[in-house]
């Protein structure tokens, strides 16, 4: 029998329960997620995560554990990550190894401007066991009572930087997809763990929303803050 892919942190669960109680007794619980390693033109998703996690994002992998973003779930990154494909950073200081940035794939509690809690899942994209990983995320969503899961990233596109950033939405909530321009009828693209999680969640009847920000292809490798702002605006509009 295989070992579970994740573990629940009891202190984090208690912090989530307390935060939800303090914000009105529960209600909807949103999960934002993105996995490093998959396409993220303009560093769009990375900038969104830096905004919503703040100090916690800056300390990711360094052993820091700020109180502001309690960890609720820890996935087994040692099992999911191929270190030869995604080599962790190590620091050599004079004559010894001084630091190892351990890969972490975690779900943390964050709060919006008025104190409403939501969940954030961020870390390296799994290299293996995508189906077991997706099943683990679905099980976690059920246990925590998540009502909407939202993923996002940037994609290079033939658009100029002089125009407002456009989003390509996808998911199974027609009310959240209304008002956006339809860019595709049908297309086959390389898969990702992020897309598979959305697909499997949708199969199980969970509400999902994906947002792909169009990044001018000629600056797709540089940070593009306008895309992060546009994603955050869309997440706010969809979730409140």
């Amino acid at each position: 029998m295989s070992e579970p892919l994740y573990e629940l942190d009891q202190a984090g669960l208690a912090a989530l329960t307390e935060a939800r109680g303090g914000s009105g007794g529960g209600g909807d619980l949103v999960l934002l997620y993105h996995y490093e390693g998959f396409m993220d033109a303009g560093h769009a998703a990375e900038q969104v995560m830096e905004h919503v996690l703040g100090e916690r994002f800056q300390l990711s992998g360094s052993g820091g554990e700020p109180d502001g973003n309690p960890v609720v779930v820890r996935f087994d990154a040692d099992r999911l990550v191929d270190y030869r494909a995604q080599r962790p950073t190590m620091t050599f200081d004079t004559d010894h190894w001084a630091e190892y940035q351990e890969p972490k794939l975690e779900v943390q509690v964050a709060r919006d401007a008025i104190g409403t809690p939501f969940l954030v899942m961020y870390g390296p994209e799994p290299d293996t066991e995508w189906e077991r990983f997706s099943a683990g995320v679905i099980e976690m969503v059920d246990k925590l009572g998540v009502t909407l899961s939202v993923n996002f990233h940037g994609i290079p596109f033939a658009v100029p930087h002089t125009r407002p950033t456009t989003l390509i939405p996808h998911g199974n909530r027609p009310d959240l997809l209304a008002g956006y321009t339809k860019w595709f009828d049908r297309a086959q693209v390389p898969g990702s763990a992020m897309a598979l999680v959305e697909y499997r969640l949708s199969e199980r009847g969970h509400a999902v929303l994906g947002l792909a920000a169009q990044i001018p292809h000629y600056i797709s490798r540089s940070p593009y803050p306008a895309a992060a702002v546009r994603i955050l605006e869309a997440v706010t509009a969809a979730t409140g």
Side-chain angles (χ1 to χ4, degrees):
M1 187 173 182
S2 61
E3 293 292 322
L5 280 180
Y6 70 89
E7 63 177 7
L8 299 173
D9 186 290
Q10 296 305 314
L13 287 172
L16 175 61
T17 300
E18 181 180 359
R20 297 189 71 191
S23 64
D28 292 339
L29 181 62
V30 175
L31 169 68
L32 308 182
Y33 70 97
H34 175 81
Y35 310 130
E36 289 179 296
F38 180 53
M39 182 186 302
D40 186 28
H43 302 266
E46 179 183 341
Q47 292 178 90
V48 170
M49 290 300 184
E50 184 173 5
H51 175 73
V52 298
L53 293 177
E55 182 186 3
R56 173 74 200 201
F57 180 88
Q58 298 296 336
L59 294 177
S60 178
S62 66
E65 195 80 13
D67 296 332
N69 300 110
V71 175
V72 179
V73 180
R74 292 182 177 88
F75 277 80
D76 189 352
D78 195 48
R79 176 173 167 183
L80 294 170
V81 174
D82 180 350
Y83 292 105
R84 292 175 299 177
Q86 304 187 62
R87 292 185 180 271
T89 299
M90 298 183 68
T91 301
F92 187 81
D93 186 358
T94 310
D95 58 1
H96 67 283
W97 293 107
E99 184 179 347
Y100 170 56
Q101 293 190 4
E102 174 188 352
K104 294 181 179 181
L105 184 52
E106 300 173 332
V107 179
Q108 303 157 50
V109 181
R111 293 174 183 263
D112 66 12
I114 61 173
T116 304
F118 58 97
L119 299 176
V120 182
M121 185 178 187
Y122 187 65
E125 180 184 44
D127 292 298
T128 62
E129 301 192 48
W130 279 11
E131 287 291 1
R132 287 189 178 89
F133 174 69
S134 298
V137 173
I138 291 171
E139 182 180 87
M140 176 196 75
V141 163
D142 284 331
K143 287 183 177 179
L144 298 180
V146 171
T147 54
L148 174 65
S149 300
V150 184
N151 65 78
F152 38 81
H153 68 296
I155 58 173
F157 221 76
V159 294
H161 68 275
T162 52
R163 294 183 181 178
T165 302
T166 301
L167 299 178
I168 301 174
H170 42 89
N172 61 358
R173 284 277 302 274
D175 58 316
L176 299 181
L177 306 180
Y180 290 94
T181 300
K182 294 187 181 298
W183 290 88
F184 298 102
D185 288 326
R186 189 177 184 88
Q188 287 188 321
V189 299
S192 68
M194 189 171 72
L196 182 60
V197 166
E198 178 184 325
Y199 180 69
R200 294 303 186 205
L201 281 169
S202 184
E203 279 188 330
R204 294 289 296 271
H206 290 282
V208 293
L209 173 66
L211 299 165
Q214 296 180 1
I215 311 298
H217 62 88
Y218 49 88
I219 53 174
S220 61
R221 293 188 178 184
S222 301
Y224 194 61
V229 172
R230 184 68 187 91
I231 289 171
L232 285 165
E233 290 172 345
V235 170
T236 300
T239 66

